[in-house]
Amino acid sequence: MRENEWVMNVNQELKNMGDSSSEMEQWKKRSIYRVPSCVTDLNKKAYKPQSVSFGPYHYGESNLESMEENKHRALLHFLKRYKKPFECYVDAVMEIVEDLKHAYTSLEQKWHLDTIGFTKMMILDGCFMLEILRVATSQDGDIDNPDDEVIDDYAPNDPVFSKHGKLYIMPYVKRDMLMLENQLPMLLLNTLVVDSKDGDPNQHDEELVNRMMQRFFFPYTRITKMGRCLHPLDVYRRGLLWENPHHKKKIVAKSYHRLVIEEGDEIVRSATELYEAGIRFKKSKTRSLKGIGFESGVLKLPPILVDDATESLYLNLIAFERLHVGAGNEVTSYIFFMDNIIDNAKDVSLLHSQGIIQNAIGSDKAVAKLFNSLSKDITLDPDSALDVVHKQVHNYCSKPWNEWRANLIHTYFRSPWAILSVLAAVLLFALTIVQTIYTVFPK
């Protein structure tokens, strides 16, 4: 009986099944994912928020409950400042609530059944995030909100939205905002911002929230147009990859004159070995992770700050690229490349000396260990632009002269004692020649 019921259900689903375009639309709605256990088992802490939950995946967890009262206070300040009836925001979010639900994969059934509860969570989390962005960036002059009557309308001893909170709380909130399982759809944030403003909703500034996030995540870099983003992690990723169009054109123009790429397995050596082979390292003019290039024996790499949040950040970016079809693989490729050229502390020290790695976690050995751990279970897309750089570096090192020089340095110049031994041998050989000459041609 149960078997027949299953057959009938499958046949009915088959009749209701649409074409590939309908399936494509369904997958396009998804942008926020639960990270699978095969990934999180390597580092569970990197994917779990430590101070605040955003969205349904970690809602109600005991270690995050203390932040809930701060969310409610942020909502009241938000409503008081913009002087719009609360019902306006509820109605606006209710109109898009199904789209918000579809943004989350593996959403628990309770949220599908409790639309009011889901809407309440979205509004509280969304207003809290917007208040974090507004307060954290107001010190630079809130040029995006010139109509705000009061900028700092929180108490000076507020635990989150005060000067004290900016220093001790917001860095942890920022870290949690960049975890894949802790994302809010940009559709929600844009909707709340639009409803807070006066005027025609169709004439609102679509880049407003993007700019606020850029000032929050990258306070000392240029603000650029991002277009339609999926969530804060997507905004951050685009900021990491943004390139100046003029600089990008120069790189493309030069690429036509680079080395011919050969077939075969290319293994990129460590930074120290590359240096011994005659390759020099130089800091790129751009901070974009795509700003890696190789030309005339010079490998250019963008600068990167390595601190306590680096591991969690890049693991979540890699997970996003892995799970979201069409996201790209630039961050994954960058980490894969850096792992190839960083084997130990000497490689980190070499890159640090060129201003490429800024070490804020202590020892060079710790930085090397971090990059090695980030690259576990990831692969480089053969169509990646960095695969071209891989092959160019490999070809350069494989040239007879460069290979001979690398072997010579590796064999005879690895330590000061080896260098002294070689110099002594050369001097002894020279003295032997001089003695021979005097013996053959006496005065």
Side-chain angles (χ1 to χ4, degrees), residues 181-416:
E181 293 187 353
N182 214 34
Q183 296 300 298
L184 292 177
M186 291 295 286
L187 173 62
L188 168 69
L189 301 176
N190 286 322
T191 298
L192 292 172
V193 167
V194 168
D195 276 78
S196 69
K197 303 295 182 182
D198 295 318
D200 185 359
N202 296 321
Q203 301 297 321
H204 76 281
D205 184 357
E206 295 182 351
E207 290 287 335
L208 173 57
V209 181
N210 289 345
R211 288 199 300 273
M212 292 173 68
M213 286 189 178
Q214 287 183 75
R215 294 212 307 274
F216 183 55
F217 294 136
F218 308 104
Y220 305 110
T221 58
R222 177 180 175 181
I223 303 297
T224 61
K225 288 187 176 181
M226 293 280 185
R228 182 172 295 180
C229 298
L230 300 172
H231 40 64
L233 185 64
D234 188 31
V235 174
Y236 190 93
R237 179 180 174 277
R238 295 189 189 203
L240 284 179
L241 301 177
W242 184 84
E243 289 183 292
N244 187 311
H246 300 293
H247 178 72
K248 187 176 180 181
K249 289 179 182 178
K250 289 170 66 177
I251 292 177
V252 172
K254 290 179 180 180
S255 66
Y256 291 104
H257 304 289
R258 287 174 175 171
L259 299 170
V260 177
I261 299 173
E262 299 173 356
E263 298 284 339
D265 296 330
E266 294 80 18
I267 300 176
V268 176
R269 308 176 189 181
S270 69
T272 305
E273 291 175 320
L274 293 177
Y275 186 81
E276 292 173 353
I279 291 179
R280 294 297 174 260
F281 295 90
K282 186 176 181 181
K283 183 172 68 174
S284 300
K285 293 181 179 180
T286 175
R287 299 189 70 88
S288 170
L289 298 189
K290 296 194 291 186
I292 297 179
F294 181 75
E295 188 173 21
S296 302
V298 178
L299 181 59
K300 293 184 178 180
L301 299 166
I304 178 175
L305 171 65
V306 180
D307 57 20
D308 293 333
T310 300
E311 183 176 19
S312 172
L313 170 63
Y314 280 95
L315 284 175
N316 280 275
L317 287 167
I318 291 170
F320 174 59
E321 291 187 345
R322 175 175 181 166
L323 296 172
H324 189 73
V325 178
N329 69 336
E330 289 86 356
V331 175
T332 304
S333 297
Y334 168 79
I335 293 298
F336 186 88
F337 187 90
M338 292 299 289
D339 174 52
N340 271 344
I341 65 173
I342 295 177
D343 278 346
N344 51 49
K346 291 182 179 179
D347 301 315
V348 175
S349 178
L350 174 59
L351 297 177
H352 174 73
S353 68
Q354 300 302 313
I356 295 168
I357 290 181
Q358 301 170 36
N359 184 358
I361 64 173
S363 69
D364 292 337
K365 183 178 180 180
V367 176
K369 184 178 179 181
L370 185 148
F371 275 102
N372 297 156
S373 66
L374 286 175
S375 64
K376 289 182 179 178
D377 293 338
I378 66 173
T379 56
L380 180 63
D381 187 340
D383 295 327
S384 167
L386 277 184
D387 189 53
V388 176
V389 179
H390 268 257
K391 293 174 180 176
Q392 291 170 339
V393 172
H394 174 77
N395 287 343
Y396 183 90
C397 294
S398 298
K399 284 188 174 183
W401 161 249
N402 294 321
E403 191 170 7
W404 177 83
R405 178 173 54 182
N407 289 331
L408 180 67
I409 294 175
H410 185 79
T411 305
Y412 297 106
F413 297 96
R414 291 290 290 179
S415 68

